[in-house]
Every structure is written in structure tokens, then in C-alpha cells.
Amino acid sequence: MPRSKYIVGNWKMHGSLPDNAARLAALCASVTEQDNVAVCVPFPYLAQTQHMLAQSHIRWGAQNVSEYLGGAYTGEVAVSMLHDFGCHCVIVGHSERRALYGESDGQVATKAKTAAGSGLQPIICVGETLEERESDKTAAVVTRQLSAVLDSLDKSEKARLVVAYEPVWAIGTGRAANPDDIRKMHVLLRDLLRRAECDNTPLLYGGSVKAGNAQAILHIDHVDGALVGSASLNPEEFLDIIKAVRP
Ligand code: PEP
């Protein structure tokens, strides 16, 4: 049976109570049971999101989580806290976390294990920088990033895994990767997942997905959905992306 395409919005550090209310209400009114949609919101808005989406067909989650279960880790948020607010998923190892906050492959793997072990769906981001791409290191970089996670998970944790291929140079630039490159990278990642007995892991693409290119990207072989940043802030555009994968 083909996997249904999964559309995940990453709001990053955007939003306010009134803006979120308008955005979530617009999504609730149009997302149907047949859609497969989640939004990852900033921590302070999880309560509002839970309240507004509880009766909807949309799931929600966070954009980061601590690798520790609790304790003296000022400023961090534990998996149990995400469960308190009904989270379904959490983005782990986004390139902005790796680049701006120094998250290592090892840390990303531990966070993925902690999240999956608690019952959350970790959405693991992998992808090369422009410099790595230009020096032909793309395959080696994403293989290293994904292998670190796969090596750390047991069978039941692997069952919750989602992977997003997000070339760093395509994020927030308006310049999505071209279909051939997306296909090539998804074949490589799918093969790595198969070898780790993760045949059913959804494999998303992220990086400047918009209403205008969603159809083309989401119908590439091995693309099981999209991780959408800036376009997820505009409900009309996000809904157009969601509609692009409806049968
Ligand atoms: C992202 O932040 O994961 C992302 C894909 O952003 P954008 O869609 O804005 O490129």
C-alpha cells in the first residue's frame, strides 16, 4: 500500500497568540481526515496549539527537545513535557540547530532515541551545506548524519522515525533542489534506511517548498512528503501544498 504523503509545517521562531489563532483556525477549517498534516510550533505555543487542534485532523509537535529526561538543564525542554501538551512529533537535528547551536551527530542521535523511546515521532533532518555540495561531499555527509541516528535506535524506536532530506542551501532561499537531485538523494537515503530495516520510514523533502513547486516535488519517486518552513506560515499557501498531494 502506498504511504500517504506527510506535510509538516515548521513555524521556526515565528508567531504570536493572535496570529497563531488565525492560522490554526484556517487550517482546521480545511484539513480533512484524508490529509496527513502536522505543525511544529515554538514551545510557548504548544498549549494554544493543543487547545485549538485537539478536535481537528491536524497533529502538532515541537522543533527541538532535550536529550535528557529531566534535571538541572536550564532552558531545556524534556520529552515528558512535550507529551503533557499532546505532541505527536518533534523535529530533531534541523540544520539551524546544527549550525547555530552546534548540535553534533551524536547529540542528534541521542535526542532521536530519547524522543522515539518516549513514543514521539522524531523528524530527523539531514542535508549538506553549499560548500559540502560543491566539494562533492553530499552523499558522505547525509550518510554520516543518518547513520549516526540509525545506529542508535532499536527496532521499536525505528518504527517511529521520519527522515527529512533538507539541503541547507535550499532552506529559506526560495531555491528548491532540482527534481533530479532530490530523486538521487532520496534513492540514496531510502537505500540506507532499507539496510537498517527501516523500509517504512517516511522520507520527506524540505527546502523552499511552495504552492508553486509542491506538485512537482511531491510526486518525485521516494518523496513521501515535505517539511515546509516559511510557506507554512501562510495558511492559504500551506493548504495549497496539502491539496497538492490529495488524490
Ligand atoms: C525548514 O526550515 O525546514 C524549511 C524547509 O524552510 P523553508 O521551507 O522556508 O525553506
Side-chain angles (χ1 to χ4, degrees):
M1 232 192 31
R3 283 177 292 263
S4 56
K5 309 254 173 182
Y6 188 24
I7 308 295
V8 182
N10 172 15
W11 288 8
K12 311 197 189 200
M13 199 173 72
H14 297 291
S16 65
L17 289 171
D19 286 356
N20 305 342
R23 193 177 295 140
L24 292 171
L27 296 182
C28 284
S30 296
V31 173
T32 68
E33 203 176 350
Q34 72 182 115
D35 297 321
N36 188 5
V37 176
V39 288
C40 293
V41 307
F43 292 131
Y45 299 131
L46 283 172
Q48 179 193 27
T49 302
Q50 179 183 33
H51 177 73
M52 288 199 64
L53 297 187
Q55 306 305 323
S56 78
H57 299 293
I58 307 163
R59 287 163 290 168
W60 60 93
Q63 301 166 15
N64 184 27
V65 70
S66 173
E67 63 265 54
Y68 304 110
L69 295 177
Y73 300 103
T74 302
E76 292 289 291
V77 171
V79 285
S80 60
M81 299 170 188
L82 300 188
H83 284 290
D84 277 346
F85 291 96
C87 287
H88 169 80
C89 57
V90 58
I91 297 172
V92 175
H94 191 280
S95 62
E96 287 151 16
R97 302 276 339 152
R98 293 178 190 260
L100 303 173
Y101 302 95
E103 283 190 16
S104 64
D105 291 336
Q107 216 175 347
V108 171
T110 311
K111 288 182 178 207
K113 188 170 182 65
T114 306
S118 81
L120 286 170
Q121 177 186 70
I123 301 172
I124 308 302
C125 301
V126 299
E128 79 288 0
T129 63
L130 188 59
E131 198 188 346
E132 289 162 342
R133 175 182 162 86
E134 284 174 346
S135 48
D136 272 338
K137 292 189 181 134
T138 301
V141 167
V142 301
T143 300
R144 189 201 72 221
Q145 290 172 331
L146 183 56
S147 300
V149 172
L150 294 175
D151 290 348
S152 80
L153 302 184
D154 67 23
K155 197 171 170 201
S156 65
E157 292 158 352
K158 284 177 181 174
R160 299 204 175 88
L161 186 66
V162 171
V163 174
Y165 170 57
E166 296 211 305
V168 179
W169 48 269
I171 295 177
T173 58
R175 190 163 69 94
N178 75 45
D180 278 348
D181 285 341
I182 296 174
R183 188 176 300 106
K184 205 166 81 190
M185 291 311 296
H186 278 238
V187 165
L188 183 149
L189 290 165
R190 177 55 63 207
D191 188 48
L192 274 178
L193 287 167
R194 257 195 216 115
R195 281 193 264 144
E197 297 180 352
C198 293
D199 301 66
N200 295 318
T201 299
L203 189 46
L204 316 184
Y205 167 79
S208 296
V209 174
K210 310 280 176 209
N213 61 16
Q215 273 279 355
I217 290 175
L218 286 158
H219 288 95
I220 296 171
D221 288 347
H222 304 292
V223 174
D224 302 315
L227 181 53
V228 182
S230 57
S232 71
L233 296 170
N234 174 340
E236 287 80 40
E237 180 153 27
F238 194 49
L239 283 164
D240 280 345
I241 295 170
I242 293 164
K243 288 173 193 161
V245 294
R246 282 184 183 156

